[in-house]
């Protein structure tokens, strides 16, 4: 039995080595790329990182109304399992799709903000994590995880904030994802109150705009600190909140940042850790 296993392991090793030898230079370069997708989930949020080593990290799962489409889109990106699923905060537009996602795609680990909203959608989410026995953590500022060459750094929450304009938003996870010289700042729906707990906010190549481009999430001060090359706004056109707010839109325009909206369809970026390329027909002016 042991010998058989050894022979199999030797065969697999040979297969991997020969695969590596026969990769063309462009395929080898592709293999070192990180792919990022901001999905079009309607009014809500869902992002996918496909890491250079093939691991998948998903931030949020969009609203329940879009859940089936969200799961199908993730599958169309080649996602057969999720290595890390991050629930930025417990609002429905971020975790409403979790039930469908957890029932269709195996998840190895979950990070949650730890903010107890008490809603049915959050209770259902927690119940499902329990039923499926998925390892679950509530990382705080200072925690970092290394997945191959990619680092995920938790910038917030540090300690619970109370009495803010939205405690659910302001106790959410803010995570910096870094690959080489390129970083993505994942803000969730964090508003000014939580952002102020991080000083200074780090510089990032790509900013996943806070709170769907709401004025209390993404303003000129945030744009100055983070100084992104690319900003992504996730929202549904004609939403009842008026996202993105006109103050945010004009601050982005003044700062001359390349802007992509999920309302125009999914946003797809690639990086080799040095520069970022994008697939997009329409750039918002
Ligand atoms: Zn939201």
């Amino acid at each position: 039995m042991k010998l058989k296993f050894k022979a199999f392991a030797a065969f697999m090793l040979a297969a991997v080595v020969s695969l590596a030898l026969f990769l063309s230079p462009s395929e080898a370069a592709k293999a070192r790329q990180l792919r990022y997708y901001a999905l079009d989930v309607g009014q809500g949020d869902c992002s996918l990182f496909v890491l250079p080593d093939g691991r998948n990290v998903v931030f949020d799962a969009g609203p329940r109304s879009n859940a089936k489409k969200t799961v199908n889109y993730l599958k169309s990106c080649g996602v057969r399992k999720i290595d890390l699923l991050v629930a930025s905060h417990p609002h429905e537009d971020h975790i409403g799709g979790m039930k469908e996602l957890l029932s269709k795609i195996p998840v190895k680990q979950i990070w949650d903000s730890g903010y107890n909203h008490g809603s049915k959608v959050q209770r259902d989410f927690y119940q499902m994590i329990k039923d499926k026995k998925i390892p679950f953590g509530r990382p705080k500022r200072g925690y970092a995880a290394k997945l191959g060459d990619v680092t995920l750094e938790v910038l917030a929450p540090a300690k619970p904030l109370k009495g803010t304009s939205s405690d659910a938003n302001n106790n959410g996870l803010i995570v910096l994802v870094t690959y080489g010289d390129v970083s993505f700042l994942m803000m969730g729906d964090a508003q000014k109150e939580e952002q102020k707990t991080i000083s200074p906010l780090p510089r990032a190549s790509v900013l996943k705009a806070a709170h769907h481009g709401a004025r209390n999430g993404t303003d000129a001060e945030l744009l100055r600190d983070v100084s992104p090359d690319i900003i992504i706004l996730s929202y549904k056109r004609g939403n009842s909140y008026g996202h993105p707010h006109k103050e945010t839109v004009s601050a982005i325009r003044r700062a001359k940042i390349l802007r992509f909206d999920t309302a125009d369809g999914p946003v797809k970026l690639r990086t080799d850790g040095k520069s970022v390329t994008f697939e997009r027909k329409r750039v918002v002016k």
Side-chain angles (χ1 to χ4, degrees):
M1 196 63 192
K2 218 172 180 182
L3 262 174
K4 259 189 185 167
F5 174 76
K6 267 189 181 167
F8 177 71
F11 168 76
M12 286 308 288
L13 183 68
V16 170
V17 170
S18 57
L19 188 71
L21 285 174
F22 289 109
L23 280 178
S24 69
S26 68
E27 279 169 326
K30 228 177 194 176
R32 287 194 300 271
Q33 286 191 340
L34 175 148
R35 286 182 283 145
Y36 169 83
Y37 303 80
L39 279 67
D40 170 15
V41 293
Q43 183 65 18
D45 253 2
C46 178
S47 285
L48 162 68
F49 289 88
V50 180
L51 307 189
D53 65 5
R55 277 186 274 194
N56 300 309
V57 178
V58 172
F59 280 73
D60 294 332
R64 188 172 47 196
S65 58
N66 197 72
K68 283 198 163 58
K69 279 192 202 160
T70 302
V71 168
N72 287 339
Y73 189 87
L74 290 172
K75 285 185 172 174
S76 77
C77 297
V79 175
R80 298 291 172 266
K81 53 144 180 67
I82 294 170
D83 298 275
L84 174 62
L85 175 63
V86 180
S88 70
H89 70 293
H91 278 149
E92 204 277 335
D93 56 327
H94 297 251
I95 66 161
M98 288 293 185
K99 209 172 166 183
E100 178 75 13
L101 188 147
L102 289 174
S103 69
K104 297 286 162 57
I105 304 178
V107 173
K108 286 191 173 173
Q109 197 193 343
I110 292 180
W111 286 3
D112 182 74
S113 66
Y115 180 78
N116 194 0
H117 195 235
S119 59
K120 186 177 181 313
V121 66
Q122 190 183 34
R123 283 200 305 274
D124 288 351
F125 175 46
Y126 285 166
Q127 190 59 49
M128 205 142 176
I129 295 169
K130 222 171 159 184
D131 293 347
K132 290 192 167 282
K133 300 186 175 65
I134 303 171
F136 174 87
R138 298 181 172 102
K140 301 282 180 276
R141 177 187 301 160
Y143 183 81
K146 211 160 162 45
L147 298 180
D149 295 330
V150 178
T151 307
L152 282 91
E153 220 180 316
V154 176
L155 305 181
K159 53 177 195 286
L161 292 178
K162 287 195 186 108
T164 68
S165 49
S166 164
D167 286 353
N169 285 344
N170 285 305
N171 288 282
L173 281 164
I174 300 179
V175 180
L176 186 70
V177 181
T178 304
Y179 176 45
D181 301 334
V182 174
S183 49
F184 297 75
L185 183 56
M186 306 298 289
M187 295 292 298
D189 281 1
Q191 301 173 340
K192 280 314 288 179
E193 291 100 322
E194 186 173 25
Q195 290 170 23
K196 277 187 194 152
T197 70
I198 310 166
S199 70
L201 273 156
R203 154 102 180 90
S205 330
V206 180
L207 173 63
K208 171 64 195 31
H211 202 200
H212 318 285
R215 64 175 79 83
N216 59 18
T218 306
D219 62 5
E221 193 187 356
L222 174 81
L223 298 178
R224 197 181 53 233
D225 289 349
V226 179
S227 181
D229 304 312
I230 294 173
I231 188 164
I232 296 165
L233 305 183
S234 186
Y235 67 94
K236 180 184 181 178
R237 190 149 289 124
N239 67 79
S240 58
Y241 309 98
H243 296 157
H245 290 147
K246 59 180 190 307
E247 297 90 328
T248 300
V249 166
S250 53
I252 295 169
R253 201 175 288 142
R254 275 197 306 274
K256 297 188 170 61
I257 301 163
L258 193 58
R259 172 182 152 202
F260 298 118
D261 293 8
T262 61
D264 297 326
V267 181
K268 303 174 194 175
L269 308 177
R270 273 178 192 275
T271 175
D272 57 1
K274 293 187 183 79
S275 60
V276 181
T277 56
F278 56 88
E279 261 175 58
R280 200 70 206 250
K281 290 185 196 87
R282 183 171 179 263
V283 176
V284 182
K285 291 257 165 68

